[in-house]
């Protein structure tokens, strides 16, 4: 992150800390719906939204404004270690975060410059933000640079892109984006929901595939994809940006926690991929084999970088399966 932007974020953080005091209590679940705090004391749970008592306690506990479970904190640390980022924050709703992250971090003095092929939740999030918006054609680096030049007087400039475009399966030109972000003092926020655990030699995402892993200031990943969770999203990257998000985000204060079963599943998947990349290699091999078959049938299909194969066909599914 550029030093001038870093200073702006630090100043905003000081202001937010003076006006907002979210409680970061870490707890563990106890039988009977009780919570055990780090100091060993047992307290009653007041975080449930299961007003009539029909739900499973481990599924419904965990409003972030009141605290975080030990297992959730451990998963956040594991994700930071895996991605080699400063910090990671897990929230309950992907759609809500996409809207809240722009609104929490930016104002009317800022600008968002986004790829036209950005995911739908991110597109909705952009609309809810007060910052100016500028769109560049998919992977058109020249147009992106033009828009950065036009935005030179803005307080904060944000480049927003998907790591892997779901429609086409191609990877964002992250090396070029990185160079422009450094040149024009811009932040980079990347939605890598389609690239996490499916792209790069070790599954760290589109940035690893492009050889610029860790440059983006924030990486957003929908946990329903490769981590097989029923809900949840994590955002990983710069520590100060995440602290500012904690202090300002309504999504953080009121989001219902990812369930304990989903946390356990995510940790198991992350551990398995960290120890052995065989599944990633097998996925790439299958995607490449499908592309080879499509090309033999006369269709144009690019070599997949994340196991996503995209093509247009009027052929029957049986012809391709065969």
């Amino acid at each position: 992150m550029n030093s001038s932007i870093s200073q702006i974020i630090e100043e905003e953080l000081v202001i937010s800390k003076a006006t907002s005091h979210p409680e970061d209590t870490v707890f563990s679940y106890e039988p009977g719906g009780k919570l055990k705090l780090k100091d060993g004391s047992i307290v009653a749970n007041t975080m449930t939204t299961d007003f009539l008592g029909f739900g499973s306690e481990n599924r419904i506990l965990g409003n972030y404004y009141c605290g975080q479970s030990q297992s959730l904190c451990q998963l956040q640390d594991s994700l930071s270690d895996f991605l080699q980022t400063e910090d990671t924050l897990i929230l309950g709703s992907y759609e809500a975060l996409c809207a809240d992250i722009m609104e929490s971090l930016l104002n009317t003095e800022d600008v968002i410059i986004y790829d036209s092929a950005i995911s739908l939740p991110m597109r909705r999030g952009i609309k809810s933000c007060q910052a100016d918006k500028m769109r560049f054609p998919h992977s058109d680096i020249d147009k992106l640079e033009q828009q950065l030049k036009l935005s030179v007087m803005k307080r904060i400039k944000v480049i927003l892109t998907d790591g892997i475009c779901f429609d086409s399966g191609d990877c964002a030109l992250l090396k070029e984006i990185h160079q422009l972000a450094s040149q024009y003092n811009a932040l980079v926020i990347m939605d890598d929901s389609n690239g996490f655990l499916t792209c790069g030699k070790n599954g760290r995402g589109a940035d690893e595939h492009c050889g610029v892993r860790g440059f983006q200031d924030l990486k957003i990943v929908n946990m329903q994809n490769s981590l097989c969770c029923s809900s949840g999203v994590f955002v990983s990257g710069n520590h100060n940006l995440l602290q500012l998000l904690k202090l300002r985000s309504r999504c953080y204060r009121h989001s219902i926690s990812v369930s304990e079963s989903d946390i356990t599943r995510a940790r198991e998947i992350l551990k398995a991929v960290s120890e052995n990349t065989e599944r990633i290699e097998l996925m790439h091999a299958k995607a490449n084999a499908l592309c080879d078959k499509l090309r033999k049938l006369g269709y144009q299909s690019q070599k997949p970088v994340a196991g996503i194969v995209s093509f247009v066909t009027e052929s029957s599914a049986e012809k391709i399966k065969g």
Side-chain angles (χ1 to χ4, degrees):
M1 182 187 296
N2 177 268
S3 58
S4 61
I5 297 180
S6 180
Q7 184 177 353
I8 292 172
I9 298 302
E10 287 175 5
E11 290 172 355
E12 293 286 332
L13 197 53
V14 170
I15 295 170
S16 295
K17 283 180 178 178
T19 57
S20 180
H21 304 279
E23 189 178 335
D24 273 334
T25 302
V26 177
F27 59 81
S28 59
Y29 297 113
E30 294 292 312
K34 301 287 185 179
L35 303 179
K36 183 177 182 180
L37 304 184
K38 285 197 296 184
D39 62 5
S41 59
I42 304 296
V43 297
N45 166 43
T46 60
M47 295 181 289
T48 180
T49 54
D50 178 32
F51 303 116
L52 299 181
F54 286 108
S56 163
E57 62 182 44
N58 285 354
R59 180 174 61 82
I60 56 163
L61 286 173
N63 183 298
Y64 284 90
Y65 191 72
C66 300
Q68 296 183 345
S69 68
Q70 287 183 347
S71 55
L72 189 71
C73 292
Q74 290 167 357
L75 177 57
Q76 289 176 163
D77 291 341
S78 297
L79 287 165
S80 296
D81 291 341
F82 179 75
L83 293 170
Q84 298 178 356
T85 52
E86 294 178 9
D87 202 358
T88 298
L89 182 64
I90 298 175
L91 297 99
S93 171
Y94 174 52
E95 296 267 353
L97 173 67
C98 291
D100 215 27
I101 195 169
M102 305 300 169
E103 188 177 355
S104 299
L105 301 179
L106 305 175
N107 61 34
T108 54
E109 300 177 72
D110 308 321
V111 63
I112 300 173
I113 306 173
Y114 64 98
D115 191 303
S116 61
I118 200 79
S119 61
L120 185 59
M122 293 303 294
R123 195 182 300 273
R124 290 172 179 164
I126 292 168
K127 289 182 179 180
S128 69
C129 179
Q130 296 181 17
D132 288 344
K133 293 94 175 173
M134 303 177 77
R135 183 177 69 172
F136 62 94
H138 180 49
S139 293
D140 189 335
I141 297 300
D142 291 336
K143 186 65 174 178
L144 171 59
E145 183 169 16
Q146 290 176 21
Q147 293 172 340
L148 285 167
K149 288 178 179 178
L150 291 172
S151 307
V152 68
M153 298 304 294
K154 290 293 183 180
R155 187 187 69 130
I156 295 177
K157 297 175 285 293
V158 172
I159 301 172
L160 187 62
T161 182
D162 279 0
I164 302 295
C165 178
F166 184 77
D167 291 337
S168 58
D170 66 324
C171 186
L173 303 176
L174 295 179
K175 276 190 177 180
E176 291 81 353
I177 291 174
H178 177 214
Q179 291 169 357
L180 290 177
S182 300
Q183 183 178 347
Y184 292 96
N185 301 331
L187 297 177
V188 178
I189 299 179
M190 178 174 70
D191 186 339
D192 205 24
S193 298
N194 297 318
F196 180 70
L197 296 188
T198 68
C199 189
K201 181 180 178 181
N202 299 292
R204 293 190 175 98
D207 46 347
E208 182 184 48
H209 171 76
C210 293
V212 289
R213 179 168 50 83
F215 86 84
Q216 75 283 343
D217 298 287
L218 289 179
K219 175 191 286 223
I220 300 168
V221 175
N222 183 358
M223 295 172 66
Q224 292 176 284
N225 291 8
S226 298
L227 289 175
C228 303
C229 296
S230 57
S231 64
V233 58
F234 75 79
V235 54
S236 190
N238 181 270
H239 174 73
N240 282 346
L241 281 173
L242 289 174
Q243 289 301 307
L244 192 59
L245 183 63
K246 270 188 180 184
L247 291 165
R248 292 183 172 178
S249 170
R250 287 173 296 176
C251 180
Y252 175 80
R253 294 196 300 270
H254 305 298
S255 174
I256 297 302
S257 174
V258 177
S259 69
E260 286 297 294
S261 59
D262 279 347
I263 291 172
T264 301
R265 185 181 300 110
R267 292 184 65 185
E268 289 173 351
I269 291 172
L270 199 61
K271 182 175 183 293
V273 173
S274 299
E275 294 174 350
N276 192 339
T277 60
E278 188 175 305
R279 283 181 178 270
I280 297 174
E281 294 165 2
L282 179 61
M283 175 201 63
H284 288 162
K286 288 181 176 180
N288 285 321
L290 176 57
C291 279
D292 290 340
K293 188 159 210 170
L294 290 169
R295 283 192 286 269
K296 287 178 182 178
L297 291 170
Y299 302 110
Q300 302 245 342
S301 184
Q302 295 180 352
K303 184 178 179 180
V305 296
I308 297 173
V309 180
S310 181
F311 66 100
V312 178
T313 176
E314 295 178 357
S315 213
S316 66
E318 293 300 321
K319 186 176 181 181
I320 297 173
K321 285 181 181 178

